[in-house]
Amino acid sequence: MGLDVIDYWIASNNATAAVPEPSTGETFLKRDNRMPRPGIVRSTPRPLTVALAAGAVALGLALTGCTAGSSVTGNDTPQKGGTLTYASGDAEPTCLDPHVGGNYPQALVSSQFLESLVSLDSDGTVIPWLADSWTVSDDGLTWEFTLRDGVSFTDGTPLDAAAVQANIAHLQDPATGSSTGYLALAKVTGTEAVSDSVVRLTLSQPDSALLESLSQPWLAIESATALERSQDENCAAPVGTGPFVVESWAKQNAITLVRNDDYTSPPADAAHEGAAYLESITWRFIPDSASRYAALQAGEVDVIDNAQPDTIAQASSSDSIVHLDAPRPGASNRIELNSGKAPFDDVAVREAFIRSTDVDAAVSSLFQGSAERSYSALSSVEPLGVSRPDLFEYDPDAAADLLDAAGWAEKDSEGYRTKDGVRLTVVFPVSTNQSIPAEQSLFEQIQATAKETGFDVQLTKLDLSSWYTALGSNAYDAVSAPYTKVGPDVLRILFDSSAIQPAPSGYFANHAQVNDPELDSLLAQANATNDADTRAALYADAQDIVLEGYYILPLYDQQNHFLLGSAVQGARALPTVSTPAFYDAWLKR
Amino acid sequence: MSELEIQATVSARRPPRSRPTAVEMGSAVLAVLLVTAAIAPRLLAPGDPLAIDPTAAFGSPSLAHWFGTDESGRDIYTRVVDGARDSLLIGLAATVIGLGLGVVLGTIAGTLGARVDFTVNRFLEVLFAFPGLLLALLFILVIGPGPGTAIVAVGLSTAPGYARIIRAQLLRVRSSAFVEAATVQGLSRGRILTRHILPNTLAPLVVLGTLGVGQAIVWAAALSYLGLGAQPPAAEWGAMLSAGRTYITSAWWMSFFPGLFIVLTAVCATSLGRSVERRMRHA
Amino acid sequence: MTISDRPASGSPNASALRVRNLRVGFGHPGGDDAVSGVSFDVATGECLAIVGESGSGKSVTARSILGLAGSTARVRADELSLAGESVLGLSEPAWRRRRGRDVGLVLQDALASLDPLRPIVREIGDSLRLHTDLDPAERTRRVLEVLEAAGLPDPQLYAGRRSGELSGGQRQRALIAAALALDPPVLVADEPTTALDVTVQAQVLGLLERVRARGTAIVLISHDLAVVSRIADRIAVMHDGRIVETGTTNKVLTDPRHPETRRMLAAVPVDKPRFTRLAPATAVRDAGPPPRMTERPAAAAVTAAAPGPPAAIEAIGLAKTFRGPHGSAHQAVHEVSFRLARGSTLGIVGESGSGKTTTARLVLALTAPDAGEVRLLGEPWSALTEKDRRARRPLVGAIYQDVLASFDPRLSVREILQQAVAGPTPARPARTGSRGGAAAVAALLENVGLPSALLERRPAELSGGQRQRVGIARALASRPQVLICDEPVSALDVSVQAQVLDLLDELQRELDLSLLFISHDLGVIQHVSDEVAVMHDGRIVETGTATEVFTAPAHPYTRALLASVPRLV
Amino acid sequence: MAEALTRVPLRFVARRLGGAVFVLWAVATLTFFAVRLIPGDPAEAILGGPGSQTSPEALAAVRAEYGLDQPVFVQYLSQLGRLATGDLGRSYALNMDVGALVLSQLGGTLLLAVLSLAVAWLFALLLATWSTGRGRLARQIGSGLEIIAAALPHFWLATTLIVVFSVWWGVLPPISTADARGLVLPVLTLAIPLAGFLGQVMRESLVAALESPFVLSARARGESERGVLWRHALRHAALPAISLSGWAFGSLISGAVIVETIFARPGLGRSLLNAVTVRDVPVVIGVVMVVALVYILMTILTDVASRLADPRTASIRTGAGG
């Protein structure tokens, strides 16, 4: 069907399971730039960073905003005016206020008109945005943010401490129905307006992920006056400080965004100041990937997201279409093996499965160079990710030996292995909403190669709710679920043993059902420490446990490809959750 | 009125023609090939429809791969041949379900008196207010998607059409002169029902069924296309077409050939149904 | 305005239509021609009747005169001229300019010959629109005049109606009016009165007579000599695509030369006394002794005790009302009583809508009467429940007008007859009883003069006459005492009708059958009946012996009917 | 015969409207009880599906708000009451009034359906008139084209049209646009298969009409072939197609599910598919109700049209099913 990718950003219910461990100091993280950040790729099949002029990176307590370099690719002078048409293949949000719920489609569009307290630069360093600077107490329980001067919401109300308080209250109000933002603020117990421009947050426990969380679009700051409106009104047209304003929203058709002429608050790494170049943005929803690409080719739209691998390959040989590769942060796309029940409760069988699947060949043929094989639990944009290619080599002979040793020595008439008369079956429900077609084909190829070793992989395509039901009733042996979050804290959500038990709602994130007290402890410590090196080491250890336990089969980064018509200049993806930003964009027509 | 009823009306009006037309000849040949493919696919395509070959992915039609290869390097010709079984089976099963329900409803309405007839008719009217795919979607919403559900959903949504044709046919036969003649001969009601009414009502079902299979295959393919039908790696045509659509701008053959065979099968079924009908009428 | 006399253009005997050696073929060139070498002339003010059986080529001839033999027809002739101008090989546009203006056509079925979706004023006005410059208002005025001239009273009332909203007679008049709108010098009328009630038929013939009288040349096509004899000046008899005999009406009727002509004349039943053969003996069935059908069902014995011979059928005060879909009521039959004496024939005659068919259904107990009763052989019949009646059903056979519809289309002639022989409660399935059944079936077939080669055919593959014979054979299979014949010959050509009537006549005598014979055709009724009942508006207005009714009709309606009967002059 | 003058009596329309109310009630009842059978808690669906954070308190609040804590029969009655006042309830997933949603989407679908119906009629007429009276070959070509057109699945046809007209030739947009260009491909997608069905019916009755005695009569009057076609035969050919238009409208709305998704058009079909995928029950019911209503009105309209066009229709086929 047409809904190719609906990456419902799913929140875990286990965010509060943190190990209390007092931490001291307020060191902010600066890491090496091991992996390329989102960048523009023009006419080349391989991701290639271009013109990434890193801005000043602020460290320490006092931090001032700086203008960062941008990824403008054209040499021409930006021209003002024009309407950019964006075609999204994601589901149409039901509410434009990302406080409500909080999923990726909301993030995509709200990035155009809402802004967060902080942002990340292309190195993954936290940089100022609506907050000029921030401090944290030694015990890590008190944070003070100093807000940028002279910023107003588009309804005219000023950005002040009270507004931030109202936003946090809004996110924490159960009536809002926030899941992502609610989780991110789980440790925030109180807010206080120190002055008009300084807001203080009080935490119950230290949270090394707080700034990363606040950088996410789901915690964007909205006008307090606007938040007081009914939820319907607020959903239809949230009011923020961003470069564009929601003018109208024709359901199932388009959202019209117009320029905020009084815009004053670009993030530290933006390319220019003042109002945006574009007059307006038409934000359309075109669920069918073929139609979307055809529309881009025909010049009916200027930018599409969720580009399919073959179209990306086509675009790279075309002069008129530019590819923007912006992998999402958080977890890599991976197949999680259910270690909670047979046959994957046996580590040997898990390893055998992983060894018997030829993922490399499949990725290179299906993604035609648009995706790079991952050997990590985390996205390549996560600086703390650990990559272990040695663990995931295709080796059917080794797999066969492992299975023989594990007791799956017999083969039935169809060539599948059996043990005590039970076939070696891997039930693999696939959410058609969350796996793009190429990924579904990848699973089919995994199914085919695993069959040679003797695995009976049973793929079942399901709609989202049936898929949730299958997961909730533990009726799966393998599953692939994307998870987007800024920072390595995502590991805690995905692998903490407390995330095995389904919440009352039936959802849980630890699909691999990893139950390892050592791992739990490492993740809790990492979440509580503010020391960068300690944190990095803890997360490295934690990832080794996960990878060496063969709980997951990493595939590649969460794919997030944009294709741009050649008229579009200066567009980039925000380094936070890789949503496109059109503040610096202009049309060269 | 349903598609089937149109088909039925159309064929009823068609003038007799003894010489088979080119379309009929072609349809007969195609039907033989399709049935062969369904029963013994390896006869027509010796390869393995599931054999992947990532290095040969996205191959355009060639001598080695007549219909090209798909994203996993599978041979599309082999898969199309192999898919005949699933697609025909789905079409047949859905038709059998629809026809079976239709016979039951239509016969109940046509034989059990005015009151029952009225009730069944109102019921059919209500079902008709859910146009085609709507009824199928609603059914899938309640039961959950899957190949079995798709079959039942298609069957269910065609049943009202069948029921109405059967009821109308039953009433027509019941009030026909030859049934009166049988009454005058002194035949009992039961014998009239079994010897005259039912055979004359049910004989056209062969035609209806043939016409219906084509439409059912198209419908089931539509559900597969919407992701509510067959499961991978099954080479069902609707699913193949749906998968191929993603690559339409770079590999048109992936969706063209499965789609072509859906169309050809439906055309073949329609054309054969009509010609069987004509021959029955003039036998 | 009335239809004016045609101004004398040329000599009175000027040939309005001249046809020489007309040949019309269909299909492959070199195949048999449907019309081969037909020649005739029709003078101004003359009516030529072309008479022949179905398939004799008369309609093709008629249509060739208008260039309407069809796109697949190959029409050749030495001469084909209208009003002295050759129309041979005219282009289609040239034909179009002539059709309607120089030659008009009246077809058989007026219901189907007028577009049912258009009001007749438009249909008739079309000729004027196509051939004149009259504006719509003038056209309408002219249409009303023509309608009035065609004998449609109050044309303004009817002009806006469509053919389905008119009665049969009104329709036929409208159709003739349409053909006469431009007063063409030649009018071709193809079976213009077939399927019409006699009174309407007489009126239509009268109208044609008037048209002829004022100078129009008429070509009248019919299968019925009696119908044409009234107005035709000359008659041409067609057989197998040729004209076998031509002559003045009087000469052809009184001194027929060709055997075909004689056969056709003999086939006309009107004024032929009862038991006169209408068809040559060989046409009915092979000579030879009729098979003995002596055994009677036991039910017949029951009646023996009754005082006096009970009537085969006795209808007492039958009444039946039908309810329309919107609550309207239509009383089809009132107070109908009659008596069918055993071994005799009672003819019920009436026009369409007179209640004949309802009466037949009441007698067959297919419909229950609202009041009154039907008794069979002195025993209750209509009062019985169907279950009780079933055992007595074999006593009554039925023959239908649309005999094809009365056969199960799935069954072959053999199966139809086997089922009929086996009867309502077969001791064993017909399949196993093949020996006895087969003999009985063969005997039945022989009885009605059909070759056994037809056994494996289905009725749809038989000719009209053959079908009716199978129908009769089926009716006889149960060895009935009473036969109900509802318009058994109405759909047949006169010559086939003759054969069927002869067959019924013979069978009646051989098997001592009592016949209830229902027809709209007075000629047929007169020929077959011992006694006659005349129905009108659901009532029997007159009964009596055939001689009484036909020689001294008492009721005015009967007299009107009799006056309309087409007779061989 | 006098009945013919009042061919469309008010009583007929009133009876049909009464029937329509019955059908709507039955549709509402059927869907109401059918969705009871859907596995899962509607309150969870309202709160965003099983993946969302749902506290027992929130569930209870939602159940109370939506009346889900009431006995089924009470819920049924209150649902009927709401429907009677035109209140279609509130979407679980879209967080908006279903009535407003349906109203905003109805126009697009109706426009698409009406245009497609008109274009299908045009195609069918053109093909039928072209292929009759031109001999056996033309007739077979016409009939073959119609069978093939009728067998074309919408999703395949749409794809093919996009590839040809948008990707290869670049003449027509593959998505909806503000101007009429964006309508061309969706309308073609829906109209071509329908034209196949209509054409089959039309051409057969056209042939029958052309062979009928009244056409012979018209020819005998000097009517040209064009006159025969336009004054006589086409009207007869149109009759069965008119009575089919009610059904056709329903099938167009079915087709809209696929066409609206592929061509990114706002409309009921897309709403329905989205709602089915996320099990948004009120939207499903709302769309079904509106579609049923539109379908019933269309059937009544076509019946009235048939009655007006054909005086012979003494008794119209009963039933909203048309």
Side-chain angles (χ1 to χ4, degrees), chain B residues 1 3 6 14 125 128 130-131 133 241 245 248 255 274, chain D residues 155-156 159 163 200-201 204 247 250 254 288 295 319 322:
Chain B
M1 195 119 178
E3 283 155 37
I6 300 171
R14 191 164 272 261
E125 258 171 45
F128 266 106
F130 298 91
L133 208 50
L241 170 51
R245 236 192 82 76
I248 189 67
S255 56
R274 291 219 190 139
Chain D
F155 47 92
W156 191 63
T159 307
V163 169
Q200 289 176 352
V201 172
E204 298 294 335
W247 163 82
S254 280
V288 164
Y295 179 68

mmCIF file of all heavy atoms in Angstrom, chain B residues 1 3 6 14 125 128 130-131 133 241 245 248 255 274, chain D residues 155-156 159 163 200-201 204 247 250 254 288 295 319 322:
data_model
loop_
_atom_site.group_PDB
_atom_site.id
_atom_site.type_symbol
_atom_site.label_atom_id
_atom_site.label_comp_id
_atom_site.label_asym_id
_atom_site.label_seq_id
_atom_site.Cartn_x
_atom_site.Cartn_y
_atom_site.Cartn_z
ATOM 1 N N MET B 1 -27.223 -3.359 -8.753
ATOM 2 C CA MET B 1 -26.614 -4.164 -9.825
ATOM 3 C C MET B 1 -25.122 -4.295 -9.536
ATOM 4 O O MET B 1 -24.490 -3.418 -9.006
ATOM 5 C CB MET B 1 -26.844 -3.398 -11.127
ATOM 6 C CG MET B 1 -26.612 -4.224 -12.332
ATOM 7 S SD MET B 1 -28.071 -4.370 -13.343
ATOM 8 C CE MET B 1 -27.487 -5.317 -14.698
ATOM 9 N N GLU B 3 -21.159 -5.992 -10.892
ATOM 10 C CA GLU B 3 -20.426 -6.297 -12.108
ATOM 11 C C GLU B 3 -20.904 -7.598 -12.694
ATOM 12 O O GLU B 3 -21.043 -7.749 -13.902
ATOM 13 C CB GLU B 3 -18.933 -6.427 -11.772
ATOM 14 C CG GLU B 3 -18.285 -5.077 -11.570
ATOM 15 C CD GLU B 3 -17.066 -5.144 -10.693
ATOM 16 O OE1 GLU B 3 -16.325 -6.118 -10.786
ATOM 17 O OE2 GLU B 3 -16.870 -4.209 -9.902
ATOM 18 N N ILE B 6 -24.056 -7.263 -14.522
ATOM 19 C CA ILE B 6 -23.854 -6.672 -15.842
ATOM 20 C C ILE B 6 -23.390 -7.750 -16.797
ATOM 21 O O ILE B 6 -23.918 -7.912 -17.883
ATOM 22 C CB ILE B 6 -22.767 -5.596 -15.784
ATOM 23 C CG1 ILE B 6 -23.202 -4.534 -14.825
ATOM 24 C CG2 ILE B 6 -22.518 -5.028 -17.146
ATOM 25 C CD1 ILE B 6 -22.106 -3.571 -14.553
ATOM 26 N N ARG B 14 -26.532 -11.321 -25.842
ATOM 27 C CA ARG B 14 -25.623 -11.538 -26.952
ATOM 28 C C ARG B 14 -26.239 -12.503 -27.957
ATOM 29 O O ARG B 14 -26.750 -13.547 -27.592
ATOM 30 C CB ARG B 14 -24.346 -12.119 -26.381
ATOM 31 C CG ARG B 14 -23.213 -12.183 -27.321
ATOM 32 C CD ARG B 14 -21.980 -12.409 -26.484
ATOM 33 N NE ARG B 14 -21.464 -11.130 -26.080
ATOM 34 C CZ ARG B 14 -20.448 -10.554 -26.724
ATOM 35 N NH1 ARG B 14 -19.905 -11.137 -27.747
ATOM 36 N NH2 ARG B 14 -19.999 -9.407 -26.328
ATOM 37 N N GLU B 125 -30.277 -5.428 0.195
ATOM 38 C CA GLU B 125 -30.220 -3.988 -0.053
ATOM 39 C C GLU B 125 -29.187 -3.330 0.850
ATOM 40 O O GLU B 125 -28.414 -2.480 0.427
ATOM 41 C CB GLU B 125 -31.578 -3.355 0.271
ATOM 42 C CG GLU B 125 -32.413 -3.052 -0.929
ATOM 43 C CD GLU B 125 -33.803 -2.640 -0.494
ATOM 44 O OE1 GLU B 125 -33.920 -1.825 0.442
ATOM 45 O OE2 GLU B 125 -34.762 -3.152 -1.070
ATOM 46 N N PHE B 128 -25.829 -4.071 -0.208
ATOM 47 C CA PHE B 128 -25.484 -3.345 -1.416
ATOM 48 C C PHE B 128 -25.069 -1.911 -1.120
ATOM 49 O O PHE B 128 -24.408 -1.274 -1.922
ATOM 50 C CB PHE B 128 -26.644 -3.338 -2.403
ATOM 51 C CG PHE B 128 -26.551 -4.446 -3.391
ATOM 52 C CD1 PHE B 128 -27.372 -5.546 -3.314
ATOM 53 C CD2 PHE B 128 -25.606 -4.397 -4.404
ATOM 54 C CE1 PHE B 128 -27.258 -6.577 -4.215
ATOM 55 C CE2 PHE B 128 -25.493 -5.418 -5.312
ATOM 56 C CZ PHE B 128 -26.325 -6.515 -5.216
ATOM 57 N N PHE B 130 -22.999 -1.085 0.935
ATOM 58 C CA PHE B 130 -21.552 -1.056 1.138
ATOM 59 C C PHE B 130 -20.931 -1.400 -0.202
ATOM 60 O O PHE B 130 -20.791 -2.570 -0.528
ATOM 61 C CB PHE B 130 -21.103 -2.128 2.127
ATOM 62 C CG PHE B 130 -21.658 -1.997 3.505
ATOM 63 C CD1 PHE B 130 -22.838 -2.617 3.863
ATOM 64 C CD2 PHE B 130 -20.975 -1.283 4.462
ATOM 65 C CE1 PHE B 130 -23.334 -2.513 5.145
ATOM 66 C CE2 PHE B 130 -21.468 -1.177 5.747
ATOM 67 C CZ PHE B 130 -22.656 -1.790 6.095
ATOM 68 N N PRO B 131 -20.586 -0.419 -0.995
ATOM 69 C CA PRO B 131 -20.060 -0.778 -2.311
ATOM 70 C C PRO B 131 -18.775 -1.583 -2.180
ATOM 71 O O PRO B 131 -17.879 -1.207 -1.440
ATOM 72 C CB PRO B 131 -19.787 0.565 -2.975
ATOM 73 C CG PRO B 131 -20.497 1.574 -2.158
ATOM 74 C CD PRO B 131 -20.611 1.015 -0.787
ATOM 75 N N LEU B 133 -15.491 -2.753 -2.301
ATOM 76 C CA LEU B 133 -14.312 -2.730 -1.463
ATOM 77 C C LEU B 133 -14.644 -2.318 -0.030
ATOM 78 O O LEU B 133 -13.982 -2.729 0.911
ATOM 79 C CB LEU B 133 -13.313 -1.741 -2.081
ATOM 80 C CG LEU B 133 -11.838 -1.983 -1.825
ATOM 81 C CD1 LEU B 133 -11.463 -3.400 -2.138
ATOM 82 C CD2 LEU B 133 -11.012 -1.032 -2.670
ATOM 83 N N LEU B 241 2.713 -7.333 -7.739
ATOM 84 C CA LEU B 241 2.448 -6.042 -8.369
ATOM 85 C C LEU B 241 2.668 -4.917 -7.371
ATOM 86 O O LEU B 241 3.285 -3.895 -7.675
ATOM 87 C CB LEU B 241 1.004 -6.045 -8.890
ATOM 88 C CG LEU B 241 0.377 -4.761 -9.378
ATOM 89 C CD1 LEU B 241 1.272 -4.075 -10.369
ATOM 90 C CD2 LEU B 241 -0.949 -5.084 -10.027
ATOM 91 N N ARG B 245 5.478 -2.023 -7.673
ATOM 92 C CA ARG B 245 5.091 -0.635 -7.884
ATOM 93 C C ARG B 245 6.113 0.330 -7.295
ATOM 94 O O ARG B 245 6.321 1.426 -7.818
ATOM 95 C CB ARG B 245 3.731 -0.394 -7.242
ATOM 96 C CG ARG B 245 2.700 0.151 -8.193
ATOM 97 C CD ARG B 245 1.501 0.631 -7.434
ATOM 98 N NE ARG B 245 1.722 1.957 -6.906
ATOM 99 C CZ ARG B 245 1.689 3.058 -7.628
ATOM 100 N NH1 ARG B 245 1.434 3.006 -8.890
ATOM 101 N NH2 ARG B 245 1.915 4.234 -7.081
ATOM 102 N N ILE B 248 8.637 1.332 -9.794
ATOM 103 C CA ILE B 248 8.020 1.524 -11.089
ATOM 104 C C ILE B 248 8.859 2.406 -11.996
ATOM 105 O O ILE B 248 8.922 2.195 -13.200
ATOM 106 C CB ILE B 248 6.583 2.087 -10.918
ATOM 107 C CG1 ILE B 248 5.855 2.092 -12.248
ATOM 108 C CG2 ILE B 248 6.585 3.462 -10.316
ATOM 109 C CD1 ILE B 248 5.579 0.740 -12.773
ATOM 110 N N SER B 255 6.139 -4.653 -12.019
ATOM 111 C CA SER B 255 4.695 -4.549 -11.794
ATOM 112 C C SER B 255 3.913 -4.828 -13.071
ATOM 113 O O SER B 255 2.762 -5.224 -13.011
ATOM 114 C CB SER B 255 4.338 -3.162 -11.254
ATOM 115 O OG SER B 255 4.813 -2.171 -12.127
ATOM 116 N N ARG B 274 -18.665 -16.182 -21.018
ATOM 117 C CA ARG B 274 -19.679 -15.824 -22.005
ATOM 118 C C ARG B 274 -19.847 -16.900 -23.045
ATOM 119 O O ARG B 274 -20.952 -17.192 -23.487
ATOM 120 C CB ARG B 274 -19.250 -14.555 -22.696
ATOM 121 C CG ARG B 274 -19.330 -13.419 -21.745
ATOM 122 C CD ARG B 274 -19.847 -12.260 -22.478
ATOM 123 N NE ARG B 274 -19.712 -11.100 -21.648
ATOM 124 C CZ ARG B 274 -19.331 -9.945 -22.115
ATOM 125 N NH1 ARG B 274 -19.065 -9.836 -23.398
ATOM 126 N NH2 ARG B 274 -19.252 -8.928 -21.333
ATOM 127 N N PHE D 155 -5.370 -0.113 -9.555
ATOM 128 C CA PHE D 155 -4.025 0.197 -9.082
ATOM 129 C C PHE D 155 -2.999 0.010 -10.195
ATOM 130 O O PHE D 155 -2.021 0.726 -10.283
ATOM 131 C CB PHE D 155 -3.669 -0.651 -7.860
ATOM 132 C CG PHE D 155 -3.982 -2.110 -7.993
ATOM 133 C CD1 PHE D 155 -3.043 -2.989 -8.457
ATOM 134 C CD2 PHE D 155 -5.240 -2.595 -7.652
ATOM 135 C CE1 PHE D 155 -3.326 -4.333 -8.575
ATOM 136 C CE2 PHE D 155 -5.529 -3.939 -7.777
ATOM 137 C CZ PHE D 155 -4.571 -4.813 -8.245
ATOM 138 N N TRP D 156 -3.275 -0.934 -11.079
ATOM 139 C CA TRP D 156 -2.337 -1.182 -12.168
ATOM 140 C C TRP D 156 -2.469 -0.094 -13.231
ATOM 141 O O TRP D 156 -1.495 0.427 -13.748
ATOM 142 C CB TRP D 156 -2.608 -2.555 -12.770
ATOM 143 C CG TRP D 156 -1.553 -3.031 -13.711
ATOM 144 C CD1 TRP D 156 -0.248 -3.290 -13.414
ATOM 145 C CD2 TRP D 156 -1.723 -3.297 -15.110
ATOM 146 N NE1 TRP D 156 0.399 -3.716 -14.551
ATOM 147 C CE2 TRP D 156 -0.476 -3.736 -15.609
ATOM 148 C CE3 TRP D 156 -2.805 -3.220 -15.979
ATOM 149 C CZ2 TRP D 156 -0.280 -4.094 -16.924
ATOM 150 C CZ3 TRP D 156 -2.608 -3.574 -17.301
ATOM 151 C CH2 TRP D 156 -1.354 -4.006 -17.764
ATOM 152 N N THR D 159 -0.880 3.143 -12.066
ATOM 153 C CA THR D 159 0.573 3.099 -12.180
ATOM 154 C C THR D 159 1.001 3.295 -13.627
ATOM 155 O O THR D 159 1.904 4.078 -13.926
ATOM 156 C CB THR D 159 1.081 1.737 -11.683
ATOM 157 O OG1 THR D 159 0.545 1.516 -10.389
ATOM 158 C CG2 THR D 159 2.573 1.718 -11.614
ATOM 159 N N VAL D 163 3.274 6.295 -15.146
ATOM 160 C CA VAL D 163 4.548 6.064 -15.831
ATOM 161 C C VAL D 163 4.524 6.714 -17.210
ATOM 162 O O VAL D 163 5.455 7.411 -17.605
ATOM 163 C CB VAL D 163 4.833 4.550 -15.937
ATOM 164 C CG1 VAL D 163 6.005 4.302 -16.870
ATOM 165 C CG2 VAL D 163 5.135 3.990 -14.564
ATOM 166 N N GLN D 200 -20.118 -2.368 -22.527
ATOM 167 C CA GLN D 200 -20.670 -3.688 -22.830
ATOM 168 C C GLN D 200 -22.180 -3.640 -22.867
ATOM 169 O O GLN D 200 -22.820 -4.127 -23.793
ATOM 170 C CB GLN D 200 -20.227 -4.696 -21.764
ATOM 171 C CG GLN D 200 -18.749 -5.036 -21.839
ATOM 172 C CD GLN D 200 -18.318 -5.954 -20.711
ATOM 173 O OE1 GLN D 200 -19.072 -6.223 -19.781
ATOM 174 N NE2 GLN D 200 -17.108 -6.440 -20.789
ATOM 175 N N VAL D 201 -22.734 -3.033 -21.830
ATOM 176 C CA VAL D 201 -24.188 -2.969 -21.733
ATOM 177 C C VAL D 201 -24.765 -2.111 -22.854
ATOM 178 O O VAL D 201 -25.735 -2.472 -23.524
ATOM 179 C CB VAL D 201 -24.583 -2.392 -20.366
ATOM 180 C CG1 VAL D 201 -26.067 -2.136 -20.305
ATOM 181 C CG2 VAL D 201 -24.168 -3.330 -19.272
ATOM 182 N N GLU D 204 -24.481 -3.693 -26.452
ATOM 183 C CA GLU D 204 -25.413 -4.780 -26.688
ATOM 184 C C GLU D 204 -26.823 -4.245 -26.930
ATOM 185 O O GLU D 204 -27.521 -4.694 -27.826
ATOM 186 C CB GLU D 204 -25.411 -5.756 -25.508
ATOM 187 C CG GLU D 204 -24.064 -6.422 -25.274
ATOM 188 C CD GLU D 204 -23.639 -7.354 -26.407
ATOM 189 O OE1 GLU D 204 -24.528 -7.853 -27.124
ATOM 190 O OE2 GLU D 204 -22.432 -7.569 -26.588
ATOM 191 N N TRP D 247 -25.118 1.750 -9.390
ATOM 192 C CA TRP D 247 -24.068 0.788 -9.063
ATOM 193 C C TRP D 247 -22.696 1.377 -9.388
ATOM 194 O O TRP D 247 -21.749 1.256 -8.612
ATOM 195 C CB TRP D 247 -24.267 -0.500 -9.852
ATOM 196 C CG TRP D 247 -23.037 -1.330 -9.877
ATOM 197 C CD1 TRP D 247 -22.609 -2.178 -8.898
ATOM 198 C CD2 TRP D 247 -22.043 -1.359 -10.905
ATOM 199 N NE1 TRP D 247 -21.410 -2.729 -9.261
ATOM 200 C CE2 TRP D 247 -21.032 -2.250 -10.474
ATOM 201 C CE3 TRP D 247 -21.907 -0.717 -12.134
ATOM 202 C CZ2 TRP D 247 -19.907 -2.514 -11.241
ATOM 203 C CZ3 TRP D 247 -20.777 -0.981 -12.891
ATOM 204 C CH2 TRP D 247 -19.794 -1.870 -12.453
ATOM 205 N N GLY D 250 -21.286 3.576 -6.797
ATOM 206 C CA GLY D 250 -20.727 2.810 -5.685
ATOM 207 C C GLY D 250 -19.350 2.272 -6.017
ATOM 208 O O GLY D 250 -18.421 2.374 -5.215
ATOM 209 N N SER D 254 -15.648 2.890 -4.290
ATOM 210 C CA SER D 254 -14.693 1.821 -3.959
ATOM 211 C C SER D 254 -13.338 2.116 -4.580
ATOM 212 O O SER D 254 -12.302 2.009 -3.928
ATOM 213 C CB SER D 254 -15.167 0.476 -4.523
ATOM 214 O OG SER D 254 -16.133 -0.098 -3.731
ATOM 215 N N VAL D 288 -18.648 4.984 6.077
ATOM 216 C CA VAL D 288 -19.583 3.975 5.575
ATOM 217 C C VAL D 288 -20.998 4.545 5.500
ATOM 218 O O VAL D 288 -21.714 4.370 4.512
ATOM 219 C CB VAL D 288 -19.532 2.716 6.472
ATOM 220 C CG1 VAL D 288 -20.733 1.828 6.216
ATOM 221 C CG2 VAL D 288 -18.256 1.946 6.212
ATOM 222 N N TYR D 295 -24.805 6.575 -1.926
ATOM 223 C CA TYR D 295 -25.134 5.476 -2.831
ATOM 224 C C TYR D 295 -26.651 5.326 -2.976
ATOM 225 O O TYR D 295 -27.172 5.180 -4.080
ATOM 226 C CB TYR D 295 -24.511 4.198 -2.275
ATOM 227 C CG TYR D 295 -24.792 2.983 -3.096
ATOM 228 C CD1 TYR D 295 -24.251 2.847 -4.371
ATOM 229 C CD2 TYR D 295 -25.588 1.959 -2.605
ATOM 230 C CE1 TYR D 295 -24.498 1.741 -5.127
ATOM 231 C CE2 TYR D 295 -25.843 0.838 -3.364
ATOM 232 C CZ TYR D 295 -25.294 0.730 -4.617
ATOM 233 O OH TYR D 295 -25.553 -0.376 -5.367
ATOM 234 N N GLY D 319 -36.178 -1.783 -4.312
ATOM 235 C CA GLY D 319 -34.996 -1.895 -3.498
ATOM 236 C C GLY D 319 -33.970 -0.837 -3.804
ATOM 237 O O GLY D 319 -33.751 -0.463 -4.936
ATOM 238 N N GLY D 322 -30.932 -1.238 -6.242
ATOM 239 C CA GLY D 322 -30.920 -0.852 -7.638
ATOM 240 C C GLY D 322 -30.403 -1.925 -8.539
ATOM 241 O O GLY D 322 -29.427 -1.911 -9.126
#
